[in-house]
Every structure is written in structure tokens, then in C-alpha cells.
Amino acid sequence: MADSKEDVITSRSDFIQELLPFAQRTALLYHLSYLCLANFPKLEEELRKCSVETQLLFGSSEALLRECEATSKNLVFTVLPVLIVAVEANNNVLAIKCLEKARAWITEIINRVKEMVNRYENLIQSVASCTSDVILEKAETEQQTKETSLEIEAQEKVVSDLEVELKKNADELGQIEQKIQEKQQAMQSYLIDASNTNNGLTILAVLVPFVGIIVKSIYDAVTGPDVAAKTQALSNEISNLYTEKSSLRNKEWNIQVKLTDAQRKLASMKIEQGSIPSPVHLTEVQTCLTRIHQNLIQLLKFWESVCVMLEALKDKTFATENFLEEYDLKDIFLTSIRTAIQLWKSFGESCLKAVSIFCLQTKDAYKFLETSPSSLSPVEWKEQYDDVIVELNKISPDLCTPQAAAAISE
């Protein structure tokens, strides 16, 4: 068996779920930005291009996630069942062919994800360019209307204070995420040591790319009390950090709700004055796209790790004739494969949920582009803006719930 650090993957399937709120927010934030560019047709057109590009990219993301789900299904209904047959018959040739087929599918997905990551990078740059153009135009218009009312100054202070609060929360969140990463690395190193002393755990680590099942297997396996206790302690520390992260995420969302409302009031004042509001919503678009980009990088690493591990399984296990018979591993392999089937089913379901969100984004979320914001009356403008705020506030902030974190120890 492979004995490198690739034997145990610490990636968790909930990174798929973390895509969803950012995908939902993106079109709504574009809509707010679009409304704020009323009476500035050049900028309006530039934003329209970015929005359409995003819509098309989300359509491609939907197709990619469908492919991930299809590959999970192929593993569940084709590769792993055939691998069971191969193990039962001690047929190493069939096992190797089966694993080669899986590796070919996964390599194709890796190439698709790499392409998608690059497209998101280009889109983020386009949005950043659009944001810079808005800032430049804003400075020029404000130079022409130097008078700023006391009401606008007061509202700018409200927005500024909330932005400071949001920044402080983001810093705390960054510290928690760093601690989580450190603890996960400690868990990874410990699980490698624990699994290398138990053939069943080693095999399961190769077939199932989720750290939670390895933790559970340590509890279920015949291990010393010190091993179980150390595993439980690390698992509890990680769960507590995820609970703290969830609390900060909820706080971030609450601040964001207040900030968005304050920005709406300031935007209305600026537009009445004849100026362009600050492109805060476009900046948020960049944040959402960046988070999706980061999650796709995780998806890329996930599939790359699976590919490496399947290759190791093929080369270092089934390449040895009568390996299973010699080391009496047949029952262990069969149990691990059946466990893997259930977990790959769950991963496929996560991909399908993400598909449904991206599908909605490509269908109706960008209909606002059909109407120029310049054509709206002040009442219609406010109604649209308020409606978008309501929809933004409906999006769940639970990017990482304690329940999700508990999956580490389940």
C-alpha cells in the first residue's frame, strides 16, 4: 500500500456546500450595482458584460458539478462493485482495469476544473477593472458636485463604522480558519500514523477521501485507548473551532445586512445628488467570485488526491500477484469498498444540490439586465432595490454549521 501523506485526505465534502450562498448572492449584488449605475450608460454596459459572463460561467459550473456527480455515480454503481468482484475472485487484472477506468474519468474532471479555475480568475479581473472604472467616474462626478450635505456625511459615517466592524470580524474569522487548518494538519499526521498500523484503516483511507470516516473507523477498530482518546481530543478541538467559525459567520451576515441597508440609503442620496455611489456591491461580487474560485481549487485538490490514491492502490496493491490471499486482506477490502460506496453516494448528493443552485442562477437571476436602470422612475428604482435587499437577507449564513463540523467525528 502507499505510505505517503496522500494516503489520508483531510478534504471534507462540505466545501461543495460552501459554494452555494456565494453563488446565490452574486446575481443579487450585480443587480444592486446595476441600479446604482443609472444614468451612466457606459458603466452600465460594462457591468452588463461582466454579469453575462458570470451567468455563462455559472452555467459551465453547473455542468462541471453534474460531471462530478456522474463520476461519483459511476464509482458507486460501476467501479466499486466491479472492484468487489475482482477482490472476491482474486482477479488483479480486472481490478487494475477497473481502477484505470476510474483514473481516466477523474483525470478528465481535473482538466475541466483547472479550466474553470482559470475562467474564474479572468472574471474576477474583469469585475475588478469594472470597479476601477466606476471609482474613476465617481471621482469625476463628485468633483463636479463638491457640495456634500450633512445628511450624506452622517450616512457615510454609519457605513464607515459598519465596514470597520465587518473588517474586525473578518480578521477574527481569518484567525479561526488558520487554527482550523493547523488542527486539521495535526489530525492528518496523526491519522496517517494510526492508519499505517491497521490494514483496514489504510485501505479505507485510500478508497474514501473523507477524514470523518477514518476517525470513526479508529473508534470502531481494535485500537488502544490512548489512540482513541487522542483522536477524540483532536476531533473535539476541531469541532469547537468550527462552532466558533459558525458563530462568526452568523455575526458577519448580521453586520452585512445592516451595512447593505445603510449603503442603500447612501446610494439614494448620492444618486439624488447626481453622483455615483461607491461600488461596494461590485467589491462584494469580487468577494463572492473569489470564494467560489477558492472552493473550486479545493475541488481540484480533492480530485487530484483521489487520482493519486487510486494510482497508488493499483500500483502497490493489485500489481502484486496474490497479494490479498497472502496477507488475508480480502474481507477487509470488501468491507472498505462497501463503506466507500455509501460515502460516495453522499458526495454525489452534495454535488446535485450545488447543481440546483447554479441552475437557478443561470435561468432567472439575470433578468434585471433586460431593463436599463436609467428608465426606472425613483419609485420603481427604490422598489427594485428594496426587493433585492429582501432576497439577500433570505440567504442562509450557515456556511459551516456545528452539525457540518461534527461530520469530522461521525
Side-chain angles (χ1 to χ4, degrees):
M1 298 293 301
D3 57 4
S4 66
K5 289 191 176 181
E6 283 83 9
D7 279 347
V8 178
I9 304 179
T10 55
S11 299
R12 298 160 60 241
S13 62
D14 58 321
F15 64 78
I16 293 289
Q17 300 304 314
E18 290 191 1
L19 285 168
L20 306 186
F22 296 108
Q24 290 174 302
R25 284 180 62 85
T26 300
L28 296 171
L29 292 168
Y30 267 130
H31 193 167
L32 293 180
S33 302
Y34 194 61
L35 289 171
C36 290
L37 295 179
N39 302 316
F40 294 90
K42 182 180 176 181
L43 295 174
E44 180 185 322
E45 179 62 27
E46 190 174 347
L47 180 62
R48 185 184 288 108
K49 289 179 181 178
C50 288
S51 300
V52 170
E53 187 178 351
T54 301
Q55 187 178 20
L56 293 173
L57 187 53
F58 276 14
S60 298
S61 300
E62 175 194 343
L64 174 63
L65 289 164
R66 285 189 187 278
E67 188 172 343
C68 289
E69 189 273 334
T71 300
S72 298
K73 187 177 292 184
N74 284 333
L75 287 169
V76 169
F77 293 105
T78 304
V79 174
L80 294 176
V82 172
L83 196 57
I84 288 176
V85 173
V87 171
E88 289 177 335
N90 295 325
N91 190 334
N92 288 19
V93 174
L94 178 60
I96 289 173
K97 287 182 178 179
C98 179
L99 293 171
E100 274 293 331
K101 186 66 175 176
R103 191 182 66 82
W105 288 332
I106 291 168
T107 299
E108 184 177 344
I109 285 184
I110 288 171
N111 292 333
R112 289 280 309 281
V113 179
K114 284 181 179 177
E115 177 188 351
M116 200 65 60
V117 167
N118 290 334
R119 288 179 64 185
Y120 271 96
E121 288 175 355
N122 293 334
L123 177 59
I124 291 168
Q125 291 176 4
S126 296
V127 176
S129 176
C130 184
T131 304
S132 297
D133 291 344
V134 173
I135 292 172
L136 181 61
E137 186 73 22
K138 174 180 171 354
E140 292 177 357
T141 57
E142 288 185 347
Q143 185 66 27
Q144 298 169 8
T145 57
K146 291 183 178 180
E147 294 184 4
T148 303
S149 67
L150 293 177
E151 290 84 356
I152 289 180
E153 289 181 354
Q155 191 62 30
E156 286 176 337
K157 178 67 165 54
V158 172
V159 170
S160 176
D161 289 345
L162 287 169
E163 287 174 341
V164 170
E165 188 177 356
L166 192 63
K167 173 66 167 56
K168 180 181 177 183
N169 190 82
D171 290 342
E172 293 177 5
L173 192 57
Q175 293 172 9
I176 289 297
E177 289 177 336
Q178 178 63 32
K179 290 179 181 178
I180 289 174
Q181 184 178 2
E182 292 170 357
K183 286 298 178 183
Q184 285 182 329
Q185 288 174 347
M187 175 72 89
Q188 179 188 34
S189 298
Y190 189 69
L191 290 181
I192 290 170
D193 293 338
S195 65
N196 282 341
T197 63
N198 183 301
N199 282 328
L201 296 181
T202 304
I203 295 165
L204 193 58
V206 173
L207 291 172
V208 184
F210 312 114
V211 74
I213 190 62
I214 311 302
V215 174
K216 183 178 185 300
S217 297
I218 285 176
Y219 298 147
D220 294 342
V222 181
T223 56
D226 56 331
V227 175
K230 178 67 178 293
T231 305
Q232 182 66 63
L234 286 169
S235 180
N236 289 342
E237 289 177 16
I238 293 174
S239 294
N240 290 338
L241 286 171
Y242 271 105
T243 299
E244 191 172 351
K245 177 180 177 179
S246 178
S247 176
L248 287 171
R249 284 288 188 211
N250 279 280
K251 183 179 178 181
E252 176 186 52
W253 229 261
N254 292 332
I255 297 171
Q256 191 67 63
V257 168
K258 296 177 184 177
L259 179 58
T260 302
D261 182 61
Q263 289 167 341
R264 178 194 62 78
K265 294 176 182 176
L266 182 58
S268 297
M269 294 177 181
K270 290 282 188 179
I271 289 172
E272 289 175 4
Q273 187 191 48
S275 179
I276 302 177
S278 296
V280 289
H281 304 305
L282 267 183
T283 302
E284 290 181 62
V285 167
Q286 291 179 66
T287 299
C288 289
L289 292 175
T290 299
R291 293 300 289 268
I292 294 172
H293 174 258
Q294 291 169 348
N295 281 43
L296 286 175
I297 290 175
Q298 283 187 273
L299 183 63
L300 175 63
K301 291 179 178 178
F302 169 84
W303 284 116
E304 286 177 339
S305 297
V306 174
C307 193
V308 168
M309 294 166 78
L310 289 180
E311 188 71 13
L313 183 63
K314 184 195 72 172
D315 291 343
K316 298 187 179 181
T317 300
F318 292 106
T320 304
E321 189 175 356
N322 299 323
F323 178 87
L324 298 178
E325 285 184 328
E326 182 179 352
Y327 291 96
D328 194 26
L329 292 177
K330 182 179 291 186
D331 289 341
I332 295 174
F333 255 103
L334 293 175
T335 300
S336 298
I337 294 169
R338 292 184 180 111
T339 301
I341 287 174
Q342 298 305 314
L343 289 157
W344 277 109
K345 281 182 179 178
S346 298
F347 178 75
E349 291 168 0
S350 295
C351 291
L352 275 182
K353 182 176 179 181
V355 163
S356 66
I357 296 297
F358 278 97
C359 182
L360 288 174
Q361 295 302 304
T362 57
K363 283 184 177 178
D364 302 323
Y366 292 86
K367 281 189 173 181
F368 65 87
L369 295 173
E370 297 173 3
T371 304
S372 170
S374 304
S375 66
L376 301 174
S377 69
V379 173
E380 290 172 328
W381 188 95
K382 185 177 184 304
E383 285 178 353
Q384 275 201 30
Y385 202 108
D386 290 346
D387 288 344
V388 176
I389 296 298
V390 170
E391 292 303 313
L392 272 172
N393 292 342
K394 287 180 182 178
I395 298 173
S396 171
D398 295 326
L399 302 184
C400 190
T401 63
Q403 291 79 9
I408 290 181
S409 57
E410 290 180 356

